[in-house]
Amino acid sequence: MAQTIVNGSNFNIWFTSGATKKVLCSSTSCKVTLNQELRDVSTKDSGLWNEKLPGRLGWSISADAMFFNSTLPTSSVSMSYIYDLMTTHSGVTVTFSITGSDYQTPALTAGYTYAGTVYITSLDLSSSDKDNVTFSLSGDGTGALSRL
């Protein structure tokens, strides 16, 4: 069976707002990171080498996008939305998935879609001379990152 490599343009992050999943407007990159903590179980018998066993799992997100100062489509979220999440200490459900044919909704392909709740931990706005204004966000997951 031939493998299909997913084009990065067809994988995105959605923020759940009410009952609707909204894509991050003009995203240029997005990333979800899963971390495995290890606990030290070294003893005097371990010699020179540390010994470890698995501990808790954790996860985080990051994304970059273009900054707009105009009205956005209702199917998307902007930096203002992310700012409001951060300054109100609100968690939000995020979904990483292959995009649907309209590029505005997730395809929710079984086994290739991940979802969970995050708190925004950083938000950066960046501008350079004669270049696009962009913003970056990071967030830490709380609870499980589920594969749907």
Side-chain angles (χ1 to χ4, degrees), residues 35-53:
N35 297 302
Q36 168 73 68
E37 292 179 6
L38 295 176
R39 53 192 174 95
D40 190 351
V41 294
S42 303
T43 68
K44 292 179 182 180
D45 299 326
S46 299
L48 293 175
W49 300 99
N50 289 330
E51 294 183 40
K52 308 269 184 177
L53 287 175

PDB file of all heavy atoms in Angstrom, residues 35-53:
ATOM      1  N   ASN A  35       5.212  15.237  25.838  1.00  0.00           N
ATOM      2  CA  ASN A  35       6.400  15.019  26.668  1.00  0.00           C
ATOM      3  C   ASN A  35       6.171  13.889  27.657  1.00  0.00           C
ATOM      4  O   ASN A  35       5.097  13.760  28.231  1.00  0.00           O
ATOM      5  CB  ASN A  35       6.730  16.288  27.467  1.00  0.00           C
ATOM      6  CG  ASN A  35       7.081  17.441  26.576  1.00  0.00           C
ATOM      7  OD1 ASN A  35       8.000  17.366  25.795  1.00  0.00           O
ATOM      8  ND2 ASN A  35       6.313  18.512  26.693  1.00  0.00           N
ATOM      9  N   GLN A  36       7.219  13.106  27.879  1.00  0.00           N
ATOM     10  CA  GLN A  36       7.222  12.031  28.867  1.00  0.00           C
ATOM     11  C   GLN A  36       8.204  12.405  29.961  1.00  0.00           C
ATOM     12  O   GLN A  36       9.403  12.527  29.709  1.00  0.00           O
ATOM     13  CB  GLN A  36       7.666  10.717  28.214  1.00  0.00           C
ATOM     14  CG  GLN A  36       7.976   9.592  29.174  1.00  0.00           C
ATOM     15  CD  GLN A  36       6.742   9.006  29.808  1.00  0.00           C
ATOM     16  OE1 GLN A  36       5.941   8.387  29.147  1.00  0.00           O
ATOM     17  NE2 GLN A  36       6.591   9.218  31.105  1.00  0.00           N
ATOM     18  N   GLU A  37       7.711  12.654  31.166  1.00  0.00           N
ATOM     19  CA  GLU A  37       8.611  12.889  32.293  1.00  0.00           C
ATOM     20  C   GLU A  37       9.183  11.549  32.746  1.00  0.00           C
ATOM     21  O   GLU A  37       8.509  10.520  32.653  1.00  0.00           O
ATOM     22  CB  GLU A  37       7.861  13.532  33.458  1.00  0.00           C
ATOM     23  CG  GLU A  37       7.399  14.939  33.194  1.00  0.00           C
ATOM     24  CD  GLU A  37       6.642  15.527  34.370  1.00  0.00           C
ATOM     25  OE1 GLU A  37       6.569  14.887  35.446  1.00  0.00           O
ATOM     26  OE2 GLU A  37       6.122  16.643  34.209  1.00  0.00           O
ATOM     27  N   LEU A  38      10.407  11.603  33.213  1.00  0.00           N
ATOM     28  CA  LEU A  38      11.033  10.407  33.763  1.00  0.00           C
ATOM     29  C   LEU A  38      11.378  10.666  35.219  1.00  0.00           C
ATOM     30  O   LEU A  38      11.760  11.767  35.597  1.00  0.00           O
ATOM     31  CB  LEU A  38      12.295  10.050  32.987  1.00  0.00           C
ATOM     32  CG  LEU A  38      12.079   9.651  31.526  1.00  0.00           C
ATOM     33  CD1 LEU A  38      13.423   9.416  30.846  1.00  0.00           C
ATOM     34  CD2 LEU A  38      11.203   8.423  31.420  1.00  0.00           C
ATOM     35  N   ARG A  39      11.214   9.638  36.027  1.00  0.00           N
ATOM     36  CA  ARG A  39      11.570   9.774  37.436  1.00  0.00           C
ATOM     37  C   ARG A  39      12.826   8.955  37.695  1.00  0.00           C
ATOM     38  O   ARG A  39      13.019   7.883  37.127  1.00  0.00           O
ATOM     39  CB  ARG A  39      10.414   9.360  38.336  1.00  0.00           C
ATOM     40  CG  ARG A  39       9.847   8.006  38.073  1.00  0.00           C
ATOM     41  CD  ARG A  39       8.515   7.818  38.818  1.00  0.00           C
ATOM     42  NE  ARG A  39       7.913   6.561  38.446  1.00  0.00           N
ATOM     43  CZ  ARG A  39       8.046   5.431  39.129  1.00  0.00           C
ATOM     44  NH1 ARG A  39       8.728   5.403  40.251  1.00  0.00           N
ATOM     45  NH2 ARG A  39       7.486   4.324  38.701  1.00  0.00           N
ATOM     46  N   ASP A  40      13.661   9.507  38.532  1.00  0.00           N
ATOM     47  CA  ASP A  40      14.935   8.867  38.840  1.00  0.00           C
ATOM     48  C   ASP A  40      14.711   7.753  39.859  1.00  0.00           C
ATOM     49  O   ASP A  40      14.133   7.973  40.922  1.00  0.00           O
ATOM     50  CB  ASP A  40      15.891   9.914  39.406  1.00  0.00           C
ATOM     51  CG  ASP A  40      17.319   9.417  39.531  1.00  0.00           C
ATOM     52  OD1 ASP A  40      17.557   8.198  39.347  1.00  0.00           O
ATOM     53  OD2 ASP A  40      18.205  10.239  39.813  1.00  0.00           O
ATOM     54  N   VAL A  41      15.146   6.549  39.520  1.00  0.00           N
ATOM     55  CA  VAL A  41      15.055   5.410  40.440  1.00  0.00           C
ATOM     56  C   VAL A  41      16.452   4.839  40.732  1.00  0.00           C
ATOM     57  O   VAL A  41      16.593   3.683  41.101  1.00  0.00           O
ATOM     58  CB  VAL A  41      14.106   4.310  39.890  1.00  0.00           C
ATOM     59  CG1 VAL A  41      12.677   4.821  39.828  1.00  0.00           C
ATOM     60  CG2 VAL A  41      14.567   3.801  38.534  1.00  0.00           C
ATOM     61  N   SER A  42      17.471   5.707  40.566  1.00  0.00           N
ATOM     62  CA  SER A  42      18.851   5.281  40.811  1.00  0.00           C
ATOM     63  C   SER A  42      19.063   4.978  42.291  1.00  0.00           C
ATOM     64  O   SER A  42      18.484   5.624  43.164  1.00  0.00           O
ATOM     65  CB  SER A  42      19.826   6.385  40.387  1.00  0.00           C
ATOM     66  OG  SER A  42      19.649   6.719  39.035  1.00  0.00           O
ATOM     67  N   THR A  43      19.872   3.984  42.515  1.00  0.00           N
ATOM     68  CA  THR A  43      20.254   3.611  43.878  1.00  0.00           C
ATOM     69  C   THR A  43      21.776   3.502  43.945  1.00  0.00           C
ATOM     70  O   THR A  43      22.468   3.674  42.930  1.00  0.00           O
ATOM     71  CB  THR A  43      19.632   2.257  44.274  1.00  0.00           C
ATOM     72  OG1 THR A  43      20.236   1.226  43.477  1.00  0.00           O
ATOM     73  CG2 THR A  43      18.125   2.273  44.099  1.00  0.00           C
ATOM     74  N   LYS A  44      22.283   3.171  45.076  1.00  0.00           N
ATOM     75  CA  LYS A  44      23.725   2.961  45.214  1.00  0.00           C
ATOM     76  C   LYS A  44      24.199   1.829  44.310  1.00  0.00           C
ATOM     77  O   LYS A  44      25.357   1.797  43.893  1.00  0.00           O
ATOM     78  CB  LYS A  44      24.072   2.650  46.667  1.00  0.00           C
ATOM     79  CG  LYS A  44      23.862   3.822  47.594  1.00  0.00           C
ATOM     80  CD  LYS A  44      24.193   3.431  49.026  1.00  0.00           C
ATOM     81  CE  LYS A  44      23.942   4.577  49.969  1.00  0.00           C
ATOM     82  NZ  LYS A  44      24.253   4.233  51.358  1.00  0.00           N
ATOM     83  N   ASP A  45      23.304   0.903  44.005  1.00  0.00           N
ATOM     84  CA  ASP A  45      23.655  -0.234  43.146  1.00  0.00           C
ATOM     85  C   ASP A  45      23.698   0.136  41.667  1.00  0.00           C
ATOM     86  O   ASP A  45      24.118  -0.670  40.835  1.00  0.00           O
ATOM     87  CB  ASP A  45      22.649  -1.374  43.342  1.00  0.00           C
ATOM     88  CG  ASP A  45      22.629  -1.886  44.767  1.00  0.00           C
ATOM     89  OD1 ASP A  45      23.700  -1.891  45.403  1.00  0.00           O
ATOM     90  OD2 ASP A  45      21.544  -2.267  45.233  1.00  0.00           O
ATOM     91  N   SER A  46      23.278   1.346  41.311  1.00  0.00           N
ATOM     92  CA  SER A  46      23.200   1.745  39.902  1.00  0.00           C
ATOM     93  C   SER A  46      24.558   2.029  39.291  1.00  0.00           C
ATOM     94  O   SER A  46      24.689   2.109  38.074  1.00  0.00           O
ATOM     95  CB  SER A  46      22.325   2.996  39.759  1.00  0.00           C
ATOM     96  OG  SER A  46      21.015   2.743  40.207  1.00  0.00           O
ATOM     97  N   GLY A  47      25.559   2.220  40.110  1.00  0.00           N
ATOM     98  CA  GLY A  47      26.883   2.504  39.585  1.00  0.00           C
ATOM     99  C   GLY A  47      26.944   3.911  39.001  1.00  0.00           C
ATOM    100  O   GLY A  47      26.385   4.853  39.541  1.00  0.00           O
ATOM    101  N   LEU A  48      27.607   4.036  37.845  1.00  0.00           N
ATOM    102  CA  LEU A  48      27.802   5.341  37.213  1.00  0.00           C
ATOM    103  C   LEU A  48      26.571   5.859  36.473  1.00  0.00           C
ATOM    104  O   LEU A  48      26.514   7.036  36.142  1.00  0.00           O
ATOM    105  CB  LEU A  48      28.959   5.266  36.207  1.00  0.00           C
ATOM    106  CG  LEU A  48      30.349   5.034  36.791  1.00  0.00           C
ATOM    107  CD1 LEU A  48      31.359   4.857  35.668  1.00  0.00           C
ATOM    108  CD2 LEU A  48      30.745   6.190  37.691  1.00  0.00           C
ATOM    109  N   TRP A  49      25.613   4.999  36.192  1.00  0.00           N
ATOM    110  CA  TRP A  49      24.506   5.377  35.300  1.00  0.00           C
ATOM    111  C   TRP A  49      23.202   5.616  36.053  1.00  0.00           C
ATOM    112  O   TRP A  49      22.856   4.885  36.973  1.00  0.00           O
ATOM    113  CB  TRP A  49      24.282   4.290  34.244  1.00  0.00           C
ATOM    114  CG  TRP A  49      25.500   4.091  33.401  1.00  0.00           C
ATOM    115  CD1 TRP A  49      26.442   3.126  33.535  1.00  0.00           C
ATOM    116  CD2 TRP A  49      25.911   4.910  32.319  1.00  0.00           C
ATOM    117  NE1 TRP A  49      27.429   3.276  32.608  1.00  0.00           N
ATOM    118  CE2 TRP A  49      27.124   4.383  31.829  1.00  0.00           C
ATOM    119  CE3 TRP A  49      25.400   6.048  31.708  1.00  0.00           C
ATOM    120  CZ2 TRP A  49      27.819   4.930  30.762  1.00  0.00           C
ATOM    121  CZ3 TRP A  49      26.093   6.595  30.642  1.00  0.00           C
ATOM    122  CH2 TRP A  49      27.279   6.039  30.177  1.00  0.00           C
ATOM    123  N   ASN A  50      22.511   6.647  35.632  1.00  0.00           N
ATOM    124  CA  ASN A  50      21.173   6.905  36.172  1.00  0.00           C
ATOM    125  C   ASN A  50      20.216   5.826  35.695  1.00  0.00           C
ATOM    126  O   ASN A  50      20.362   5.291  34.593  1.00  0.00           O
ATOM    127  CB  ASN A  50      20.625   8.252  35.677  1.00  0.00           C
ATOM    128  CG  ASN A  50      21.337   9.426  36.283  1.00  0.00           C
ATOM    129  OD1 ASN A  50      21.814   9.356  37.400  1.00  0.00           O
ATOM    130  ND2 ASN A  50      21.406  10.516  35.541  1.00  0.00           N
ATOM    131  N   GLU A  51      19.232   5.536  36.513  1.00  0.00           N
ATOM    132  CA  GLU A  51      18.155   4.632  36.106  1.00  0.00           C
ATOM    133  C   GLU A  51      16.855   5.407  36.194  1.00  0.00           C
ATOM    134  O   GLU A  51      16.622   6.154  37.138  1.00  0.00           O
ATOM    135  CB  GLU A  51      18.121   3.396  37.008  1.00  0.00           C
ATOM    136  CG  GLU A  51      19.364   2.528  36.842  1.00  0.00           C
ATOM    137  CD  GLU A  51      19.308   1.268  37.678  1.00  0.00           C
ATOM    138  OE1 GLU A  51      18.231   0.653  37.773  1.00  0.00           O
ATOM    139  OE2 GLU A  51      20.352   0.902  38.241  1.00  0.00           O
ATOM    140  N   LYS A  52      16.006   5.234  35.183  1.00  0.00           N
ATOM    141  CA  LYS A  52      14.763   6.013  35.084  1.00  0.00           C
ATOM    142  C   LYS A  52      13.582   5.105  34.793  1.00  0.00           C
ATOM    143  O   LYS A  52      13.723   4.056  34.188  1.00  0.00           O
ATOM    144  CB  LYS A  52      14.857   7.042  33.941  1.00  0.00           C
ATOM    145  CG  LYS A  52      16.065   7.937  33.965  1.00  0.00           C
ATOM    146  CD  LYS A  52      15.801   9.177  34.719  1.00  0.00           C
ATOM    147  CE  LYS A  52      17.018  10.103  34.629  1.00  0.00           C
ATOM    148  NZ  LYS A  52      16.819  11.340  35.266  1.00  0.00           N
ATOM    149  N   LEU A  53      12.418   5.570  35.223  1.00  0.00           N
ATOM    150  CA  LEU A  53      11.143   4.940  34.878  1.00  0.00           C
ATOM    151  C   LEU A  53      10.170   6.026  34.440  1.00  0.00           C
ATOM    152  O   LEU A  53      10.285   7.175  34.874  1.00  0.00           O
ATOM    153  CB  LEU A  53      10.558   4.176  36.078  1.00  0.00           C
ATOM    154  CG  LEU A  53      11.247   2.872  36.449  1.00  0.00           C
ATOM    155  CD1 LEU A  53      10.627   2.298  37.725  1.00  0.00           C
ATOM    156  CD2 LEU A  53      11.154   1.864  35.308  1.00  0.00           C
TER     157      LEU A  53
END
